Amino acid sequence: MPEPLLDVRALDAFYGDFQALFGVSLRVPPGEVVAVIGANGAGKSTLLKCIAGVIASRRDAILFDGEPIGDAPAHAVVARGIALVPEGRRLFPSLSVEENLLIGGQLGRGGPWSLPRIYELFPALAERRHLPSTSLSGGEQQMVAIGRALMSNPKLLLCDEISLGLAPIVVRQIYARLPSIVAEGSSLVIVEQDIVQALKAANHVYCLQEGRVALAGAAAMLTREAISAAYFGA
Amino acid sequence: MEWVNIIIQGVLIGGLYAMFAAGLALIFGVMRLVNIAHGDLIVLAAYIALMTTDTLGLNPLLAILIVVPIMAAIGYGLQRALLNRTLGDDVLPPLLVTFGLSVIIQNALLEVFTADSRRLRAGAIEVASFPLTEGVWIGVLPLLQFVVAVAVIGALQLLFYRTALGRAFRATSDDQSVAQLMGLDNRHIFGLAMALSLAVIAVAGVFIAVRTNFDPAIGPARLIFGFEAVIIGGLGSMWGTLAGGVILGVSQAIGAQINPGWQLLAGHLAFLIILAVRPEGLFPKVQG
Amino acid sequence: MTASFHVEHATRASRIGTAAFAVAIVLLAAAPAWGGRDDLRLLSEIYAYVALASLWNLLAGYAGLVSVGQQAYVGLGGYVLFASTIEAGVHPLLAVPVAGVVAAVVALPVAGLLFRLRGHYFAIGTWVVAEVFRLIASQISALGGGSGISLPAAIVTEMAPSRQLREFLIYWLALALVVVVLAAIVLLLRSRYGLALTAIRDNELAARSNGVDVTRTKLVVYVLTAFGTAMVGALIFLQKLRISPDTAFSVNDWTAFVIFITVIGGIGRVEGPIIGTVVFFVLRQTLADLGSLYLLMLGAVAIAVMLLAPKGIWGFLAERFGWQLLPLERRLRFAADARTT
């Protein structure tokens, strides 16, 4: 079995005294899409934040390309090739659409993604490149957020609830682009409340429940009943 | 005609005030910190210029080339070693620490240089002036300082809106944690911002040293002028601070003409009026 | 069935503390009997700084209004005292509360302007106000203009016939003033206003959404602080017998020292300024003639305390050992508890 791109081993996470994750383990094989689903408060966003370095963890709890990065700060993690599309988009209001994309490429990591390539992926953005980023529609903002993360040419792209607050048709449009992203060489971890989309897009699924992995397996193999049970904790 | 000369003098010194303001506004914009030691750092720059010209025998205006990098380095070091630790939600720590810094700088300068008044000599340029029209004279040095001030502010605008570093500043100011996700190290960005602020302060300090007598105690007044210019002009706009500085300078000049003891009061009055009538300033940044 | 309860403020530690305070006050009131002229002067200075620091602490540590311009009211108090005694023939001892009232009235429009500024900019704004007061004072020739004025002998003797009695009177007034200021602060903090202040201190937004009228609370505190500060200022300059714009509105004397005292002693706790003043004067006596080096070191210590032990000496001790000198806690005692004790 090939070495996983991302190897999370028995990860614990705390917010002060409150423990949000209990010994979570997860693997992302290179070139694959992993979905993390679960109810609100299950710890999905926390998991992504730990991987991205926003929350500090035990050094060897997170291995990327074989290297321990658990305690690396966020800006160092990006330099290694992991990019996070944060929950709620979080675009920079003082920057235009194009500037938001450019700052994503601040580090100058080499790779297939560049400004023209992003505009190819999301043509709607090209027309609005000089507008203030916050004047765009929700779906367009989500595209900017994804494009911004791609500009750092990540080997691993983490997507935190990209369907949040978007109309189903817009969600479908965005998810339709994911295969191109994978084709260019990034692996994906998508955190989703929209289980249908998640299962369609992913190769593997992890279901979190109250900070623990309740179910894991290949997307095609999991039954509805099993997922339901894991999600709600029957 | 007398009044025209007065107004012109006020405008020209307004450029200097705008420089005080620009350094202050920059820091506040990027990291929400108001540096109470700002004025004392201007005075520190003046003394460094003094030491430079004494030991190297340079013309003070050339000394700028040496003072600017020194002050920038001090700014970077100060931010990373001390001020980064004060940043957070609480207003108290940065305020008190920079206040403490102000006291320390003033008293250190007092110990080393005593309270004697100093002045840097720039040669004939100090008194040179030329006629604009009949009866209206413009000092060469004040004009030079004004032009440099405008250039500095223009350069800052360019930096903030057309360069990658400026983007980094604006992004960090918008959202510190997401800026980190772009690979930006906040501690380093803040250090650069402080270095930039102190570089601007360095130029202002040298100009002050040439223009008037200075001693360790004049720092707080410079801080107040910079602050008033920022408030009059409006937070968030570099050109606004230029306008604010000019308005302050002109108010002071008019006040001085009416009664020499009213120079500073007239400036404060202008500030208080703006604060009462239009607290967001004359040219506030309109948030998108 | 409704539970009835009352709020208890004292703890065993604070009962001891309050008793100790009472004993101390009696001893200090008797100081003219056991102390010399210099002792009385030193003690008066200590009282003044305890009062100023406590008031600054109320403003900054509780109401969240960090002012670096309280010297405005110290100087205003001094000048109102000189003006009212010289120009209006007010008795010098009566002029002290008069100074307080004038300052409170002035503080209202000042607050109206300053409250338009937030946080750091508010702080500098207070400095500007102090500068404006200083500049205005130096323009008033009737009060000596830029060089200042001495209190005329006739007014000095109005206080009391002998110098010794005058000094005793001023000393007792200083002691009374600091006791009143501390008592007022403790009572304020124990009242509903105090609860509002603690809420504001902890989280202004939450306080606002819980119905606390934040602006009005802050205004009340600002005006009361101005009132107290001006009275202390009036007394300080009554004792000095001479006033000038630079001494009246000195940032070093009335703000730098006060802030450092409060930071080192412990912001946001009533005991802090008291501890801080003691430390300050001990340092001053032992490091006497260092001049500007002394201020430099004080600044460095204050910065170190702010970064390493932001709660100050008393804050550290109170958190570590749960100490409390003054009855300021709030405990709910339900009627049912009475049965179990």
Side-chain angles (χ1 to χ4, degrees), chain C residues 58-291:
Chain C
L58 183 69
L59 201 57
Y62 283 93
L65 294 168
V66 182
S67 163
V68 293
Q70 288 310 91
Q71 66 271 22
Y73 296 110
V74 174
L76 181 64
Y79 267 97
V80 170
L81 180 112
F82 272 64
S84 57
T85 53
I86 295 175
E87 303 290 330
V90 177
H91 188 280
L93 294 181
L94 186 58
V96 171
V98 166
V101 171
V102 172
V105 170
V106 168
L108 281 166
V110 169
L113 279 175
L114 286 180
F115 282 15
R116 289 157 192 267
L117 299 167
R118 295 241 143 258
H120 312 256
Y121 284 148
F122 170 82
I124 305 184
T126 61
W127 204 338
V128 175
V129 168
E131 272 300 291
V132 171
F133 284 15
R134 184 181 66 84
L135 288 167
I136 292 178
S138 52
Q139 291 293 310
I140 302 178
S141 39
L143 291 173
S147 29
I149 197 172
S150 299
L151 201 60
I155 295 178
V156 176
T157 47
E158 233 192 301
M159 275 193 280
S162 76
R163 194 197 63 192
Q164 197 185 52
L165 191 55
R166 273 198 300 277
E167 295 190 346
F168 287 2
L169 272 174
I170 291 184
Y171 172 81
W172 281 320
L173 196 51
L175 177 60
L177 191 54
V178 72
V179 168
V180 165
V181 165
L182 283 175
I185 290 178
V186 170
L187 285 174
L188 180 72
L189 290 175
R190 279 165 65 137
S191 73
R192 278 233 160 95
Y193 263 117
L195 201 51
L197 276 177
T198 322
I200 293 173
R201 176 183 69 175
D202 288 342
N203 189 332
E204 193 170 315
L205 190 57
R208 216 184 279 266
S209 45
N210 267 300
V212 174
D213 189 339
V214 173
T215 312
R216 202 172 74 158
T217 311
K218 286 186 173 184
L219 181 64
V220 168
V221 174
Y222 185 80
V223 170
L224 285 177
T225 307
F227 177 67
T229 306
M231 286 203 288
V232 177
L235 201 52
I236 288 173
F237 287 98
L238 182 60
Q239 183 163 49
K240 285 185 193 258
L241 297 177
R242 186 181 162 75
I243 198 169
S244 73
D246 287 339
T247 54
F249 299 99
S250 156
V251 175
N252 277 346
D253 290 336
W254 315 126
T255 283
F257 286 152
V258 167
I259 290 183
F260 293 156
I261 283 174
T262 314
V263 168
I264 293 173
I267 291 191
R269 288 182 188 268
V270 179
E271 298 90 338
I274 303 174
I275 305 293
T277 308
V278 169
V279 169
F280 173 76
F281 274 89
V282 165
L283 279 177
R284 203 180 77 164
Q285 301 297 85
T286 51
L287 295 171
D289 292 311
L290 285 178

Side-chain angles (χ1 to χ4, degrees), chain B residues 17 221 224-225 228 232 247-274, chain C residues 113 127-141 145-146 245 249:
Chain B
Y17 292 163
I224 288 180
F225 294 156
E228 290 180 331
I232 294 175
I247 291 175
L248 184 65
V250 169
S251 308
Q252 287 187 354
I254 293 177
Q257 187 64 4
I258 298 176
N259 178 331
W262 289 8
Q263 177 186 0
L264 298 179
L265 265 174
H268 295 324
L269 192 65
F271 159 75
L272 290 173
I273 291 176
I274 299 279
Chain C
L113 279 175
W127 204 338
V128 175
V129 168
E131 272 300 291
V132 171
F133 284 15
R134 184 181 66 84
L135 288 167
I136 292 178
S138 52
Q139 291 293 310
I140 302 178
S141 39
F249 299 99

Side-chain angles (χ1 to χ4, degrees), chain C residues 33-55:
Chain C
W34 52 260
R37 281 189 78 198
D38 287 337
D39 295 326
L40 293 186
R41 274 189 173 260
L42 180 64
L43 284 172
S44 300
E45 231 193 313
I46 291 178
Y47 302 157
Y49 272 105
V50 169
L52 287 176
S54 300
L55 288 164

Side-chain angles (χ1 to χ4, degrees), chain A residues 90-101 103 129-135 148, chain B residues 29-30 32 160-163 166-175 236 285-288:
Chain A
R90 305 277 291 269
L91 298 181
F92 297 115
S94 300
L95 272 52
S96 67
V97 168
E98 182 151 301
E99 287 178 320
N100 265 282
L101 295 175
I103 201 163
R129 58 193 342 160
H130 294 304
L131 292 178
S133 54
T134 42
S135 68
R148 183 178 64 175
Chain B
V30 176
R32 300 281 177 287
F160 263 78
Y161 290 99
R162 296 228 190 278
T163 67
R167 260 198 310 272
F169 281 151
R170 282 183 292 141
T172 308
S173 155
D174 274 347
D175 194 331
K285 176 163 83 168
V286 182
Q287 197 54 288

Side-chain angles (χ1 to χ4, degrees), chain B residues 24-203:
Chain B
L24 209 59
L26 198 164
I27 296 296
F28 189 76
V30 176
M31 54 182 118
R32 300 281 177 287
L33 177 119
V34 169
N35 185 359
I36 300 219
H38 187 79
D40 305 287
L41 287 164
I42 296 177
V43 176
L44 178 66
Y47 276 102
I48 293 180
L50 181 69
M51 288 197 289
T52 310
T53 52
D54 275 353
T55 50
L56 295 177
L58 280 176
N59 182 298
L61 298 175
L62 286 179
I64 290 182
L65 295 172
I66 299 187
V67 178
V68 167
I70 293 179
M71 287 294 286
I74 291 177
Y76 190 82
L78 191 66
Q79 185 67 34
R80 297 237 26 189
L82 190 67
L83 297 177
N84 268 343
R85 290 172 212 259
T86 65
L87 296 175
D89 288 325
D90 198 356
V91 174
L92 222 51
L95 225 135
L96 295 178
V97 168
T98 54
F99 181 76
L101 207 59
S102 163
V103 170
I104 290 178
I105 294 176
Q106 272 185 56
N107 285 282
L109 288 174
L110 210 53
E111 278 295 305
V112 175
F113 293 102
T114 79
D116 289 341
S117 244
R118 309 294 182 109
R119 179 89 177 267
L120 290 183
R121 295 284 147 206
I125 198 175
E126 286 176 37
V127 288
S129 63
F130 64 88
L132 191 62
T133 67
E134 176 108 16
V136 176
W137 292 83
I138 298 194
V140 172
L141 191 60
L143 183 64
L144 180 67
Q145 293 185 351
F146 183 79
V147 168
V148 170
V150 173
V152 165
I153 291 184
L156 284 175
Q157 273 290 110
L158 256 161
L159 182 88
F160 263 78
Y161 290 99
R162 296 228 190 278
T163 67
L165 181 61
R167 260 198 310 272
F169 281 151
R170 282 183 292 141
T172 308
S173 155
D174 274 347
D175 194 331
Q176 269 189 47
S177 31
V178 177
Q180 297 225 22
L181 295 177
M182 306 293 114
L184 298 173
D185 183 358
N186 287 350
R187 300 166 304 178
H188 179 58
I189 297 287
F190 291 153
L192 289 178
M194 188 55 87
L196 190 60
S197 174
L198 257 56
V200 174
I201 281 180
V203 178

